[in-house]
Amino acid sequence: MPSANLSKASLHFLGNSRDLPEPFIFQFNPESMTRVQSYSEKNKKITETIRLRLIFNIMHGLSDNNPQAIEHGIYPLLAALEEYVAEQDKLIRLPGILGRLGPKLQRVMVLSYGERSIPVRIVRLNIKELVHNAQLTPLHATADLSLRVLGESELSGNPQGKAALENYRKYRKTSANSLTSLIHL
């Protein structure tokens, strides 16, 4: 029996603009998550990449007797995910007087995953439609997402994005520091 407290992972853009797309809440939590840290000798920087495998299935929509799910299958979900790739390149203004006077800023996307909120950029999306109905409407698919964690220089002009990165790093450090208590259980 599913827990009522089940958290769902999602992608969303920071800000309070009416122009922002709705959060993309994953239909199911990712099948897998891989985090890769790479060190560049040339730049002397560590970059972090997150890879997720998402599963989409029509059975979820059918159980709710959703007429859109019956007619369009999971295609609206796949299309919304594809639109998120395009939306990340749009520029926004900060709210208030600073926004009206200052330069436009790059939108900041955040991956919310449990207690982690990580500023990211989608660098690759690979959708594989696996099952279709007679009208070739997708009913089951997987999506492999590659996300790059944004760095300080990319977030320097966006206070919300910078705060999200700092909070993610603090959470990771706090979690690492709690390791000693886990070892001594």
Side-chain angles (χ1 to χ4, degrees), residues 6-12 23-30 33 52 54 110-114 116:
L6 177 67
S7 294
K8 289 227 176 175
S10 67
L11 290 171
H12 64 275
F24 186 86
I25 300 170
F26 301 157
Q27 187 181 21
F28 303 102
N29 280 327
M33 176 179 184
L52 302 172
L54 306 177
V110 173
L111 168 67
S112 294
Y113 198 89
R116 296 172 276 185

Side-chain angles (χ1 to χ4, degrees), residues 25-44:
I25 300 170
F26 301 157
Q27 187 181 21
F28 303 102
N29 280 327
E31 180 182 75
S32 63
M33 176 179 184
T34 304
R35 298 177 333 176
V36 178
Q37 291 190 352
S38 304
Y39 180 74
S40 167
E41 288 288 340
K42 180 180 177 184
N43 300 336
K44 306 291 187 219

Side-chain angles (χ1 to χ4, degrees), residues 41 55 61 71 90 92 94 116 123 147 149 164 172 180 184:
E41 288 288 340
I55 297 174
E71 183 178 350
K90 292 189 177 173
I92 59 165
L94 289 175
R116 296 172 276 185
V123 293
L147 310 168
V149 176
R172 184 171 54 196
T180 51
H184 294 51

Side-chain angles (χ1 to χ4, degrees), residues 3 8 10 12 16 27 32 43 81 83 85-86 97 104 112 122 132 136 141 180:
S3 166
K8 289 227 176 175
S10 67
H12 64 275
N16 54 7
Q27 187 181 21
S32 63
N43 300 336
L81 184 56
E83 282 299 308
V85 176
I97 188 81
K104 289 186 174 184
S112 294
I122 298 173
H132 298 84
L136 299 179
T180 51

Side-chain angles (χ1 to χ4, degrees), residues 5-137:
N5 296 329
L6 177 67
S7 294
K8 289 227 176 175
S10 67
L11 290 171
H12 64 275
F13 289 98
L14 295 177
N16 54 7
S17 169
R18 284 182 241 139
D19 305 357
L20 294 175
E22 292 290 317
F24 186 86
I25 300 170
F26 301 157
Q27 187 181 21
F28 303 102
N29 280 327
E31 180 182 75
S32 63
M33 176 179 184
T34 304
R35 298 177 333 176
V36 178
Q37 291 190 352
S38 304
Y39 180 74
S40 167
E41 288 288 340
K42 180 180 177 184
N43 300 336
K44 306 291 187 219
K45 288 185 179 181
I46 296 174
T47 56
E48 184 175 356
T49 305
I50 298 171
R51 292 189 209 128
L52 302 172
R53 167 153 295 164
L54 306 177
I55 297 174
F56 299 93
N57 193 298
I58 190 61
M59 296 312 290
H60 182 61
L62 294 178
S63 66
D64 298 339
N65 289 322
N66 181 338
Q68 184 178 2
I70 294 167
E71 183 178 350
H72 301 289
I74 58 169
Y75 184 72
L77 291 169
L78 301 176
L81 184 56
E82 291 173 312
E83 282 299 308
Y84 249 70
V85 176
E87 287 290 329
Q88 68 187 352
D89 281 330
K90 292 189 177 173
L91 300 176
I92 59 165
R93 289 197 183 276
L94 289 175
I97 188 81
L98 290 175
R100 287 192 294 274
L101 300 175
K104 289 186 174 184
L105 302 172
Q106 193 71 38
R107 282 190 172 165
V108 176
M109 182 187 311
V110 173
L111 168 67
S112 294
Y113 198 89
E115 294 183 38
R116 296 172 276 185
S117 289
I118 311 162
V120 296
R121 179 164 182 78
I122 298 173
V123 293
R124 184 178 176 96
L125 170 62
N126 183 22
I127 295 174
K128 190 174 190 180
E129 296 179 8
L130 299 164
V131 177
H132 298 84
N133 64 13
Q135 290 75 37
L136 299 179
T137 302

